[in-house]
Amino acid sequence: MLSEKVYKKVKSMIYDGHLQPGERLVERDLSRKLGTSRIPLRESLVRLESEGLVRSIPNSASYVEDFSPSDILEMYSMRLVLEPLAARLATLQHEDSLLDKLRRLCELMTTCTRNCDWTGLDRADYQFHRLIVGASSHKLLIRTYDNCHIQVTGSRPSYAHLKLLTPDTTAKEHDVIMQAIGKWDAHAAEEATRDHVRLALGQLEEYLGVRLK
């Protein structure tokens, strides 16, 4: 369906930072860039507004939502609620293919860090955790996770906290989770994920200068 494709494309552009927070969305220009008519674009913007990614001002225009540091921290903190459970449920699925995918992403994280590719590192990090969430097969959890727009927290301009890491630090942190899943130890996978996300949340709090109340 055309409107679905346009919706996913615009959403991806917001997540990837191609559409910046606070940017005005000019339908004529955006439809030309996407190679589509304005009707499916308009439908997509209405849908994105309902999800909180777009803000429309009556009789004016639509804008990419400009999330405050507190907003970003709230979205990110949902990881601490959802991901440990997802890791436990994913482990109980005993899906061998999941381990292969996670291993490749760990290798990619190391490569990205060595190449100072912070955007790639952040993207691989998100993909690692989203794979586990998807492997949980818990439909409501998956939907809630996606609606939290955790990817928005990846559109950070400097990635200052990532630049301090050694090339294998991020991969090692994720390897603990991967090893627990590989042993089909649901409790260990849940705890390893909770520890990892709690640490990452603390780093984000320091980066943003905001504490979760």
Side-chain angles (χ1 to χ4, degrees), residues 163-200:
K163 296 177 183 179
L164 299 175
L165 302 176
T166 59
D168 60 349
T169 297
T170 304
K172 281 183 176 179
E173 291 178 2
H174 291 80
D175 188 63
V176 176
I177 300 171
M178 186 173 65
Q179 293 296 331
I181 294 175
K183 294 176 181 176
W184 312 128
D185 189 334
H187 177 73
E190 182 176 20
E191 290 304 307
T193 301
R194 182 174 288 108
D195 291 343
H196 170 67
V197 175
R198 186 180 289 118
L199 178 61

Side-chain angles (χ1 to χ4, degrees), residues 4-213:
E4 180 71 15
K5 290 181 180 179
V6 174
Y7 157 77
K8 289 181 177 179
K9 180 59 178 178
V10 177
K11 190 172 186 177
S12 177
M13 291 172 72
I14 293 174
Y15 282 159
D16 292 341
H18 295 304
L19 292 173
Q20 292 291 312
E23 181 176 341
R24 181 175 179 175
L25 298 171
V26 181
E27 290 186 8
R28 180 185 63 256
D29 297 340
L30 193 53
S31 62
R32 185 184 303 118
K33 183 181 294 185
L34 294 172
T36 187
S37 66
R38 294 170 70 173
I39 294 177
L41 175 60
R42 202 166 290 144
E43 293 173 349
S44 300
L45 294 180
V46 170
R47 185 172 172 184
L48 291 167
E49 182 179 10
S50 72
E51 294 180 1
L53 286 175
V54 167
R55 173 172 46 89
S56 294
I57 299 178
N59 303 316
S60 179
S62 296
Y63 299 83
V64 177
E65 186 61 80
D66 190 2
F67 295 105
S68 69
S70 294
D71 292 332
I72 291 175
L73 194 60
E74 283 190 8
M75 289 186 290
Y76 196 90
S77 67
M78 288 300 292
R79 292 184 59 192
L80 193 57
V81 178
L82 300 171
E83 288 189 23
L85 173 59
R88 181 169 69 83
L89 295 176
T91 303
L92 295 174
Q93 301 295 325
H94 289 220
E95 184 182 332
D96 289 322
S97 62
L98 174 63
L99 293 173
D100 293 332
K101 295 173 184 176
L102 295 177
R103 190 173 294 108
R104 285 195 292 271
L105 284 169
C106 281
E107 293 170 354
L108 178 58
M109 289 179 208
T110 299
T111 300
C112 287
T113 309
R114 286 173 177 162
N115 295 335
C116 298
D117 179 6
W118 312 118
T119 301
L121 175 60
D122 201 83
R123 186 180 297 115
D125 187 327
Y126 173 78
Q127 290 173 345
F128 181 96
H129 293 285
R130 181 58 180 77
L131 266 175
I132 294 174
V133 169
S136 72
S137 297
H138 191 302
K139 294 179 181 178
L140 183 56
L141 188 157
I142 295 169
R143 190 182 313 125
T144 302
Y145 190 85
D146 289 340
N147 287 340
C148 287
H149 306 308
I150 291 164
Q151 281 175 280
V152 169
T153 65
S155 341
R156 301 187 288 276
S158 66
Y159 300 100
H161 62 301
L162 298 178
K163 296 177 183 179
L164 299 175
L165 302 176
T166 59
D168 60 349
T169 297
T170 304
K172 281 183 176 179
E173 291 178 2
H174 291 80
D175 188 63
V176 176
I177 300 171
M178 186 173 65
Q179 293 296 331
I181 294 175
K183 294 176 181 176
W184 312 128
D185 189 334
H187 177 73
E190 182 176 20
E191 290 304 307
T193 301
R194 182 174 288 108
D195 291 343
H196 170 67
V197 175
R198 186 180 289 118
L199 178 61
L201 180 60
Q203 292 172 338
L204 185 62
E205 286 179 324
E206 184 174 353
Y207 175 81
L208 294 173
V210 177
R211 295 291 174 185
L212 189 63
K213 298 178 181 179

